Amino acid sequence: MIIDLREYDRPSGTIDGEEKIQIDDPMAGEVTVPCRIELDYRQTSGTFHFHGTVKASYASQCHRCLDPVNVSVAGDFDLMVRRGEHGGETADDLVVLSPNQHHLDLSPLIRETVVLNEPMIVVCDESCRGLCPDCGANLNRETCNHGEATDPRWDALRR
């Protein structure tokens, strides 16, 4: 999402937009994620203060049973943008633009927000039983016929 700062001459306002980003999902590989962005801004003394909210959703697989799952991600970020002699400087939440630079690319910040807020483990349900390690059956839908293998060393504790 590239914005032209010359278009925002009011002291404050809201910018809505959409962006598609690429992320690496451990179960689905590289995924294109459509994002909805709401960006609130205010200007004070030539400095823009942005607060952005990102909402995204994409299809993946349950890490336990491999069933399809829709993953929803939401997060926010803050950014200050000002003009200075040495344009191109960046910090975690500050961008300094040269006096003749007017465009700001928010795509890397949007991608970072999605990646930092996506779940580490995706499950279809918290009580998902996963797959049988022996036969691969989905334990949410069926039971295994081969029984549970036991280690005879633990038999003394079962009494």
Side-chain angles (χ1 to χ4, degrees), residues 58-63 65-71 122-125:
Y58 63 95
S60 185
Q61 290 178 312
C62 176
H63 287 162
C65 69
L66 303 179
D67 279 349
V69 176
N70 189 37
V71 180
V122 175
V123 292
C124 59
D125 189 286

Side-chain angles (χ1 to χ4, degrees), residues 23 25 31-34 56-60 69-73 118-119 122:
I23 64 167
D25 180 36
V31 178
T32 300
V33 179
S57 180
Y58 63 95
S60 185
V69 176
N70 189 37
V71 180
S72 295
V73 178
E118 68 179 325
V122 175

Side-chain angles (χ1 to χ4, degrees), residues 4 27 115:
D4 186 347
M27 299 303 283
V115 169

Side-chain angles (χ1 to χ4, degrees), residues 3-6 46-48 50 79-90 94-106:
I3 59 173
D4 186 347
L5 296 177
R6 293 175 291 191
T47 300
F48 280 91
F50 292 102
L79 180 68
M80 287 185 354
V81 179
R82 65 179 172 87
R83 300 198 185 278
E85 288 296 316
H86 304 290
E89 291 180 35
T90 59
L94 172 68
V95 173
V96 179
L97 299 176
S98 63
N100 59 354
Q101 190 176 5
H102 305 289
H103 294 92
L104 178 65
D105 186 5
L106 296 175

